[in-house]
Amino acid sequence: MPRSGTATSREGQNPCPSGRGACQTGISLSYQICNLVFGGFAPVAAVWLASLAGGAYWPPAVALMAVSVIGIWCTLRLRTYHRRRAVAATTTAERTPVPAGA
């Protein structure tokens, strides 16, 4: 039975080494800071870009499309990275000798 006040996962096992849920808090904090910086200033940047173009709406639209293309590219690269890593892990596992009696 887990202690009261701890962040737990499956079947009462706490994935965080500290046992106090600090890992989840750190992830949440970094997520919220990124939302504050990038999501909070996005309307300001859009208005600034539109004002530079004399009130036209195309500069913020182009900026949004550019950020979307970067996000799609990163997602595709992440898939290939994990695929390469999985192949490397299986080849390493195949070469690793199994001790006798295991």
Side-chain angles (χ1 to χ4, degrees):
M1 184 85 165
R3 293 184 310 233
S4 175
T6 60
T8 59
S9 66
R10 291 179 238 136
E11 300 176 16
Q13 296 175 354
N14 191 345
C16 189
S18 69
R20 294 190 177 95
C23 295
Q24 291 85 359
T25 303
I27 292 171
S28 175
L29 183 64
S30 62
Y31 176 78
Q32 296 301 329
I33 288 173
C34 287
N35 275 339
L36 171 74
V37 172
F38 296 108
F41 290 115
V44 175
V47 170
W48 177 72
L49 285 171
S51 69
L52 287 178
Y57 290 114
W58 65 267
V62 169
L64 184 60
M65 285 187 282
V67 169
S68 298
V69 167
I70 291 170
I72 290 169
W73 181 79
C74 289
T75 302
L76 294 175
R77 293 287 300 158
L78 188 63
R79 291 179 75 190
T80 57
Y81 169 75
H82 281 297
R83 191 175 301 124
R84 287 181 192 160
R85 193 168 172 199
V87 168
T90 51
T91 57
T92 304
E94 291 170 358
R95 291 181 288 167
T96 307
V98 178

